[in-house]
Amino acid sequence: MSSNNELLEALTILEQEKNIPKETLLDAIENSLITACKNHFGKSENIKVQIDPKTCEFHVYQEKTVVEQVEDPVTEISVVNAKMINSKYEPEDIVNIEVRSKEFGRIATQNAKNVILQKIREEERKVLYDEYYSKEKDVVTGIVQRYAGKNVSINLGKVDAVLTENEQVKGEVFQPTERIKLYVLEVKPTNRGPKILVSRTHPELVKRLFESEVTEVRDGIVEIRSIAREAGSRTKIAVYSNDPDVDPVGACVGMNGARVNAIVNELRGEKIDIINWNDNPAMLIENALSPAKVISVIADAEEKNAKVVVPDYQLSLAIGKEGQNARLAARLTGFKIDIKNETQAREAGDFMDYENDYEDYDEYEDYEDYPEEEYGDGEYGYEENEYEEGESEKEYEEEILTEEGGADE
């Protein structure tokens, strides 16, 4: 029997500092005692360990079978010796013989110690992995340590993360001890602890920064429906409000631009365009091409392509430097966008004389459902040429001409 207040204190400290449960450490001690018995006696199948978790008092027993003649002293005990312990013992009974762990040899003791240390290291790695795995796909703050080739080592508190060259924003240079925000891409378990891969280029980094900075986004009142990013240069996000009294763009911009400016500063000057989400693809595409003004949008929801007409003087703004504005708008909306100026569109014959006059026809399933004032006779109207039974097409045409003032004779 052993009672060890120092052991209890040591386990309590380990539990607090390394977040390793005391029960796990007691299991490790139990396994180490069984290992020590195996090294000392040559086998451990008949070894039982009892540990009191409150006092760390432990007992180690050998279960021995009572026999008339002993052949294996590790697993058997003679009737005479058994009756010396208790006169009630008879052959085939099981006797628990307490083992004094202090009698173990140096090698057995060292092996037991190694078992405990190995278990502590394994649990420490597991605790760290679980802690950072819960932060996967989220934003963390790290302190720049050093450059390792083209990669950057970032300290996240208890472990270091790796910011690879591919996940760095082109042109960003970090100084040691600098604090930066990072998006956790992946957490992998290894023999040396968790390996954490982080990013500064991922679009979700911007989304998570808005969640941390904008209360309405964090609470779900404002949703970020889509996001397109060219890291280090420009990001477009489409936002939607679940509350009609809340302006989604205004909530994200903040008073005097305070909220969006905080994110821009964290991204080192990266421009951020915030637009209103619209379920009508044409309206969404028009918003996505902001700040360029749009004359008309014809969107094919099935083919996922759209034809856009802009004023002549707005073409370069709509396309953007090196095509960036159009490219980001296409990613944001999911549509392939063909942009033409007014002159080009007229020459191609696919331009109509209306400006930004989009009707939301999605609410009507068939053309018969359109209100007459919206879809009746006229430029975009229709007429149903139904002939009376037995009437030929020529007779029908003559009848129409007669009604209109008579046919030419």
Side-chain angles (χ1 to χ4, degrees):
M1 179 182 75
S2 295
S3 176
N4 197 334
N5 290 330
E6 291 182 0
L7 176 60
L8 179 61
E9 184 178 347
L11 295 184
T12 303
I13 292 172
L14 278 171
E15 185 175 39
Q16 293 173 348
E17 291 186 354
K18 298 189 179 293
N19 203 25
I20 302 175
K22 189 185 295 183
E23 293 76 13
T24 301
L25 296 170
L26 291 174
D27 286 342
I29 292 172
E30 180 179 337
N31 291 332
S32 72
L33 290 169
I34 293 174
T35 300
C37 288
K38 184 173 184 179
N39 289 326
H40 185 73
F41 297 112
K43 59 178 65 175
S44 61
E45 290 78 6
N46 63 329
I47 298 296
K48 287 180 62 179
V49 179
Q50 294 179 353
I51 303 178
D52 187 337
K54 294 182 179 179
T55 63
C56 285
E57 180 180 311
F58 63 88
H59 302 268
V60 182
Y61 297 104
Q62 272 185 312
E63 291 184 338
K64 293 189 177 184
T65 305
V66 179
V67 295
E68 294 288 348
Q69 186 174 354
V70 176
E71 295 181 358
D72 184 357
V74 175
T75 59
E76 298 174 338
I77 185 173
S78 66
V79 177
V80 175
N81 289 336
K83 287 185 177 293
M84 289 175 63
I85 298 172
N86 192 317
S87 58
K88 296 187 296 183
Y89 285 126
E90 298 293 338
E92 302 302 323
D93 287 345
I94 302 296
V95 179
N96 288 328
I97 307 296
E98 188 162 359
V99 177
R100 302 290 177 181
S101 58
K102 291 182 179 179
E103 298 174 1
F104 291 160
R106 182 179 61 83
I107 294 176
T109 304
Q110 185 63 40
N111 288 339
K113 177 184 175 183
N114 291 339
V115 169
I116 295 174
L117 292 176
Q118 178 65 22
K119 185 64 175 179
I120 290 174
R121 284 193 290 267
E122 288 177 2
E123 283 301 312
E124 191 174 5
R125 287 195 293 267
K126 183 177 181 297
V127 167
L128 284 174
Y129 172 77
D130 290 343
E131 179 180 346
Y132 286 95
Y133 181 75
S134 67
K135 297 179 181 179
E136 197 174 71
K137 313 303 180 189
D138 205 350
V139 169
V140 295
T141 301
I143 300 175
V144 177
Q145 296 287 91
R146 64 188 180 279
Y147 275 87
K150 293 185 178 180
N151 297 339
V152 185
S153 176
I154 311 288
N155 182 262
L156 300 183
K158 297 179 181 178
V159 294
D160 286 349
V162 179
L163 180 62
T164 62
E165 183 184 9
N166 291 337
E167 299 300 333
Q168 296 174 35
V169 176
K170 189 175 181 181
E172 275 192 348
V173 179
F174 304 108
Q175 300 300 324
T177 72
E178 188 175 358
R179 298 176 71 87
I180 58 174
K181 299 279 189 182
L182 302 143
Y183 180 75
V184 181
L185 286 174
E186 188 178 14
V187 180
K188 297 178 180 178
T190 69
N191 292 332
R192 295 184 178 182
K195 182 180 179 182
I196 303 172
L197 300 177
V198 292
S199 173
R200 286 277 293 175
T201 63
H202 203 284
E204 285 290 313
L205 173 62
V206 180
K207 185 176 181 180
R208 298 299 184 195
L209 289 176
F210 270 98
E211 288 176 358
S212 64
E213 193 69 34
V214 181
T215 307
E216 290 84 352
V217 175
R218 186 166 57 250
D219 293 344
I221 298 172
V222 174
E223 294 180 33
I224 297 178
R225 290 285 183 89
S226 183
I227 186 166
R229 184 184 184 204
E230 291 191 357
S233 180
R234 184 180 292 272
T235 293
K236 283 181 181 283
I237 66 171
V239 293
Y240 175 81
S241 177
N242 293 309
D243 186 340
D245 296 329
V246 176
D247 173 22
V249 174
C252 292
V253 172
M255 185 72 70
N256 297 323
R259 290 174 168 178
V260 72
N261 284 340
I263 297 170
V264 168
N265 291 337
E266 179 58 46
L267 299 176
R268 308 204 173 189
E270 183 174 316
K271 296 178 178 64
I272 299 178
D273 295 339
I274 305 171
I275 69 161
N276 280 304
W277 173 271
N278 196 304
D279 290 328
N280 184 327
M283 296 299 295
L284 178 61
I285 291 168
E286 179 184 353
N287 294 343
L289 288 170
S290 175
K293 298 193 181 300
V294 174
I295 295 177
S296 71
V297 179
I298 301 174
D300 187 333
E302 292 185 0
E303 297 294 329
K304 286 290 182 179
N305 57 43
K307 293 181 179 181
V308 178
V309 179
V310 299
D312 291 355
Y313 67 96
Q314 291 275 297
L315 181 61
S316 60
L317 184 61
I319 295 174
K321 185 179 180 181
E322 298 178 352
Q324 184 185 68
N325 194 57
R327 189 164 56 247
L328 286 174
R331 290 183 197 166
L332 189 73
T333 60
F335 278 71
K336 182 179 179 181
I337 302 175
D338 178 20
I339 303 175
K340 293 180 180 179
N341 63 24
E342 188 175 351
T343 301
Q344 291 171 334
R346 289 185 186 280
E347 290 174 353
D350 54 4
F351 174 71
M352 298 182 190
D353 289 326
Y354 59 87
E355 292 188 16
N356 300 329
D357 186 18
Y358 310 119
E359 297 292 340
D360 190 2
Y361 296 127
D362 294 341
E363 57 183 302
Y364 307 113
E365 293 183 0
D366 300 300
Y367 66 83
E368 290 88 355
D369 296 330
Y370 286 107
E372 186 175 349
E373 62 269 22
E374 292 186 23
Y375 202 99
D377 296 339
E379 185 178 358
Y380 305 108
Y382 66 92
E383 294 179 355
E384 293 185 357
N385 295 332
E386 295 182 356
Y387 312 138
E388 294 181 4
E389 187 175 355
E391 184 178 31
S392 68
E393 182 176 350
K394 182 177 181 182
E395 291 172 336
Y396 174 78
E397 289 176 353
E398 290 176 352
E399 180 182 335
I400 294 297
L401 289 172
T402 302
E403 289 176 358
E404 292 180 352
D408 293 333
E409 294 182 1

